[in-house]
Amino acid sequence: MSTIDRALGPDAGTAGTFRVALLHGGRGWRLSGATLGFMTHQACEAAVPIAIGVVIDRAIVRDDPLALAWWIGALALLFVVLSLSYQRAALGMVRVYGHGEHDLRQLVSARVLHPRGRRSHDRTGEVLSVTTSDSFRVAGVAWSVAEQGATIAAVLAASTALLVISVPLGVGVLVGAIAVLIGMHALARPIEKLGMAEQASVANASDVATDTMAGLRIVHGLGAEKEMVRRYRRASAASLRGAVSTARTLITSETVSSAVSVVYLGGLALAAAWMAANDDITVGQLVTVVALAQFLQGSLAHIGTFGANWAHKRASARRLRGVVTEPFRLAAGSRPDTARPETPVPVLSWHLGGGSAEALPGALTGVRVAGAAEARALSARLGLRAAPEPGAVFIAGTDAIRVCPEQYRRFVTAPPHDAAIFSGTLRENVVGALVGGANDVWDPEIAKAVALDDVVAHLGSAEAELGESGRRLSGGQRQRVLLARALHGDAEVTVLDEPATALDPVTEQRVAGGLAALGRTIVVITSSPILLDACHRVVDQTGSTAAETVAERAG
């Protein structure tokens, strides 16, 4: 079991997500070094007013030029250490944070794109929000750890100095820091819930925007621009309300924390002034106490925000962990090998509604369905994007539910009907989009079979840019690009879901003939008479029971 698997186990909770962000890939040592650097920086910051007080008492009050020169040199050395420790710590933290965020995003992306799929179907905007915003927040916990370590170092260094000057002053600072931390932690409890609500509203607005851009042509065609603007405005307003509510709570928490620290440390400075007036402490010690009080104001205020910051990040960690640890839709399978059995069996066969069917080797098999919904459902099952029932789908004689999804897809490729066109060139969309495929070279025979040569002629060359989401292509041209991409894969069987819905009859006739003449094992699920007429075998699955109607064609 990998480190990430252990960290994200069922008993790990959000702490496991934080461990991945902070410690995976050996980042723990770098985080420790960066935290130590920030602690050194803060300790040096606290040492500056202490050194100034010593200069006053031992050099200025005594009028000792040699001591003054010596202590000024010590101050200069202190500032060198202070500056270098901060620079090195900040550089280390940038690396820890950057790599942590990258790992979290890769983790979410790998889970969303896993061959076994996800049980739920989160909206695109929801996934995008988790991958970007939540990963950013969870990775930011590295900064919180370092800053909190530095703050603790500052409080301890200042308290030690105050204890040396006056035991009551030092004890008062430590007790005050603990009291502020406990009180502000109680105020931070609602922030986690607000953070969850805010991120959900942001995801909803992102989802509406994504849907609008993806279906922009349809929106224009229906004249629904005003309705889409209204929906986005409503989702955006909800996102704004969530962000404002969370920000208001955070600001209130910070304001209360700052007010408490100002009042408390103001009292500390007055107490020190009273002690100096009574000769209980020296002038230099008074300067040190007042300067340390100003220095500690920021530290104590930051201590008060610890709970609020962690609550906000816990909300994001819960959302991110929910995606990463979500159960798979498909079983892992138990057949690791891909060897074909010695006895001849169909590469792909299925049994539905009491009927049986199989892909005709080296030929075009048509599956007649009643409509688009039936085509989507059958394509999802044959492509193993949805879990089939036991004994429903067989690959090389083995029940599909026993085969690892990765192995299954080496035999069968069944791209969804609404597959994406990517930004880039035509060639990149056809062969560059294949992952691990052997046929990564443009095949002119396939391009001709699916009438893609007309698209090449229209664009000027296969190196022409298609624009964002293929905006330079018509619906029929997009469909031919997707057809060519599916056929360039190296799987033994290609399953096509209504591949000609956007083609005109003449082009559809040409594509149908081209598919039949390729000599590849292709299953086309369609209700189109033109495509079905070109098939070597047709399986009728329009009824409640699947009846196989075979129409063998010469050649």
Side-chain angles (χ1 to χ4, degrees), residues 461-472:
S461 76
E463 311 304 328
E465 293 285 340
L466 301 186
E468 184 178 0
S469 299
R471 59 181 176 82
R472 292 189 60 191

Side-chain angles (χ1 to χ4, degrees), residues 137 187-188 190-199 201-202 238-256 305 308-309 311-312:
R137 286 183 176 177
L187 292 177
I191 294 179
E192 183 173 357
K193 183 177 180 180
L194 287 172
M196 289 285 291
E198 177 200 353
Q199 289 299 88
S201 62
V202 170
S239 175
L240 176 63
R241 288 193 298 271
V244 169
S245 177
T246 304
R248 184 182 290 117
T249 304
L250 285 171
I251 291 173
T252 301
S253 174
E254 293 172 1
T255 302
V256 172
T305 64
N309 287 333
H312 216 199

Side-chain angles (χ1 to χ4, degrees), residues 354-421:
S356 300
E358 64 183 52
L360 190 63
L364 182 63
T365 303
V367 180
R368 181 183 288 113
V369 290
E374 290 79 3
R376 300 299 102 82
L378 180 57
S379 172
R381 293 170 73 182
L382 295 184
L384 217 61
R385 297 192 303 277
E389 296 80 5
V393 180
F394 284 81
I395 182 72
T398 302
D399 195 332
I401 64 171
R402 292 184 52 213
V403 181
C404 300
E406 297 92 333
Q407 304 293 345
Y408 180 92
R409 291 179 182 125
R410 294 182 184 179
F411 282 103
V412 179
T413 180
H417 177 78
D418 55 351
I421 298 290

